[in-house]
Amino acid sequence: MKQFIYKSLILGSVLTAASCSNSEYEFDKLFPQEYHKILYVKHNGKQEMNMNTVETTPVYSINVIKAGSDPSLTAHVKLSVMSQQEVDDSYGLLDNIDYRVIPSNMYSMAAAELEFQSQEVTKKLDIVFHSDLIYELMQKNKDVKYVLPVRFWSEQDSVNSSKNDVMLLLDVKKPVITFKTGEVNTAMVYKQLEVNVGANLQNIQFSKWNFTCDVTDARKDALVEAYNTEHGTSYLPMPSAAYQLEKMTFEEGASTGNLKMNISRTPLASDKSYLLPLKMSETSQEGFDLDENVCFLKVENPKYGTLDCDRSKWEVVFCNSDEKNAVSEPNGDKGGVGCLFDDDINSYWHANWSGGNE
């Protein structure tokens, strides 16, 4: 009973205090003015910005948040690029890394300040980079790390001093076209053989263009001889009459490419193995580096071509001599006629030879 009375007295006191407009318990006194609104950067501190040389104007978006106890308030925040000295003091000395602020001609900002209206809680600032210029700068001085450090501040509103910087660590690379594998192994079965040689795009998420890459068989004889010497093999250089080099194709939106080749059996000798070294030469799309490695196409030409069949959908239609019920070991059948196409070389089937089960 006493506990109930105490709780009632406490609740009454709080309600009385809240009802007094001039009381020290008013809403704006419960929360100090600097907490009515406070600004901060969502992804602050060191952030990576990876770019490439063919997408020359990539964009990085910085999100600024307006928080606090009163979302109806407006707010205003400015931004500036930190000086080299500020970067050295805030980051360089701590990380022991030679950070360098990029020149102003290598980027542009959508605005120099952000205005929050009532009920607005987030604003986005876009920074456009000129990746080709940054790449040239990086090539001149490879021992430093180029950055763009942005600081947010306000003359009238509170800004979280521990979350008001964005240190963009910049990295620009050339996209590279590489072979998927260093060797492609195949064999002739019919008079014509279609071969696919794949390629990958690196340092770029996907292609924004339809383009091609030329492939060459230059120095074929010398490369085959060198391969045989290194590996102890006896491949023959594939005769030029047996193939025609096409262009490797890349489609918009794809991260891989493909070269289709048709190999003719007529110019090849039976029971011989052939080698065709392939190298990338040039592309129709500027800005790409090419894989310096060789892709070796190996083609076996057996006297009699064989082709394994897909037996997954095969089934027995009729069998009048199936020993699947035989019990003798090890000559018992057990598995039945289905063992003929179960892809298990250790299972078998045979017809009965005397008085067996059907």
Side-chain angles (χ1 to χ4, degrees):
M1 182 65 180
K2 288 182 179 181
Q3 186 178 15
F4 173 77
I5 294 174
Y6 292 151
K7 288 183 178 180
S8 300
L9 290 174
I10 292 172
L11 178 60
S13 300
V14 171
L15 292 174
T16 301
S19 64
C20 299
S21 60
N22 296 323
S23 165
E24 63 178 347
Y25 296 104
E26 288 180 350
F27 179 79
D28 58 350
K29 290 186 178 180
L30 288 174
F31 298 94
Q33 187 173 2
E34 61 268 26
Y35 296 114
H36 291 183
K37 57 182 174 181
I38 187 166
L39 302 160
Y40 69 93
V41 179
K42 184 176 182 180
H43 300 292
N44 52 79
K46 289 182 287 187
Q47 303 292 328
E48 293 185 355
M49 178 57 179
N50 298 310
M51 299 170 279
N52 60 66
T53 55
V54 295
E55 298 168 312
T56 55
T57 54
V59 178
Y60 187 92
S61 298
I62 299 177
N63 292 306
V64 181
I65 308 298
K66 183 189 75 174
S69 60
D70 190 353
S72 68
L73 297 176
T74 61
H76 183 266
V77 64
K78 296 183 178 181
L79 58 113
S80 58
V81 176
M82 297 167 60
S83 68
Q84 185 65 55
Q85 186 62 51
E86 289 175 314
V87 171
D88 293 340
D89 295 341
S90 300
Y91 293 95
L93 296 177
L94 296 175
D95 297 345
N96 195 27
I97 295 176
D98 188 3
Y99 294 118
R100 300 281 182 89
V101 181
I102 60 173
S104 58
N105 68 319
M106 298 186 179
Y107 64 91
S108 59
M109 296 186 181
E113 51 190 81
L114 300 174
E115 190 78 33
F116 287 82
Q117 302 300 323
S118 177
Q119 305 302 329
E120 284 187 319
V121 296
T122 182
K123 284 284 187 178
K124 183 178 71 170
L125 172 71
D126 288 337
I127 303 177
V128 180
F129 290 94
H130 303 292
S131 60
D132 51 346
L133 298 179
I134 300 173
Y135 182 79
E136 291 178 7
L137 184 63
M138 291 173 55
Q139 299 310 299
K140 294 177 182 178
N141 195 347
K142 298 184 178 182
D143 296 327
V144 304
K145 183 68 176 177
Y146 286 99
V147 298
L148 181 63
V150 182
R151 174 164 288 170
F152 292 83
W153 54 282
S154 178
E155 297 173 339
Q156 61 194 47
D157 298 315
S158 298
V159 179
N160 188 330
S161 60
S162 65
K163 295 183 177 182
N164 67 329
D165 288 351
V166 179
M167 176 78 156
L168 292 177
L169 309 176
L170 309 178
D171 187 23
V172 185
K173 294 179 179 178
K174 268 194 171 184
V176 182
I177 303 175
T178 64
F179 285 113
K180 281 187 175 182
T181 180
E183 295 184 358
V184 176
N185 295 278
T186 187
M188 299 298 302
V189 177
Y190 305 114
K191 290 183 178 181
Q192 296 287 329
L193 172 67
E194 184 179 279
V195 179
N196 292 295
V197 179
N200 292 324
L201 294 180
Q202 297 182 355
N203 300 334
I204 186 172
Q205 187 175 3
F206 55 84
S207 173
K208 292 188 175 182
W209 316 271
N210 293 316
F211 70 97
T212 60
C213 177
D214 291 339
V215 178
T216 178
D217 58 358
R219 300 182 61 247
K220 174 174 60 179
D221 293 346
L223 289 171
V224 171
E225 182 179 357
Y227 185 95
N228 286 332
T229 301
E230 181 181 354
H231 297 88
T233 52
S234 56
Y235 286 102
L236 298 175
M238 186 177 293
S240 298
Y243 64 92
Q244 181 176 353
L245 287 178
E246 304 291 342
K247 294 180 182 290
M248 184 173 285
T249 58
F250 294 85
E251 296 183 355
E252 181 180 354
S255 59
T256 60
N258 187 51
L259 165 66
K260 285 186 178 181
M261 292 181 58
N262 286 312
I263 310 296
S264 174
R265 185 169 192 159
T266 303
L268 307 181
S270 295
D271 290 330
K272 297 294 183 181
S273 300
Y274 291 88
L275 193 62
L276 178 60
L278 300 174
K279 289 196 69 173
M280 298 179 185
S281 57
E282 59 180 320
T283 67
S284 61
Q285 181 66 44
E286 295 183 358
F288 285 85
D289 277 344
L290 300 178
D291 190 355
E292 292 293 330
N293 294 319
V294 178
C295 178
F296 291 96
L297 173 59
K298 298 179 179 180
V299 178
E300 304 289 337
N301 186 39
K303 185 175 183 179
Y304 301 105
T306 59
L307 183 66
D308 198 12
C309 301
D310 178 12
R311 296 181 288 273
S312 61
K313 296 182 180 180
W314 287 17
E315 59 183 20
V316 178
V317 176
F318 174 76
C319 177
N320 65 355
S321 181
D322 194 349
E323 290 296 283
K324 62 183 178 182
N325 295 319
V327 295
S328 60
E329 294 291 350
N331 295 322
D333 181 350
K334 297 273 186 163
V337 70
C339 291
L340 286 174
F341 48 87
D342 65 354
D343 289 325
D344 182 359
I345 62 173
N346 294 313
S347 64
Y348 60 92
W349 168 84
H350 63 81
N352 62 17
W353 52 82
S354 64
N357 299 300
E358 291 188 359

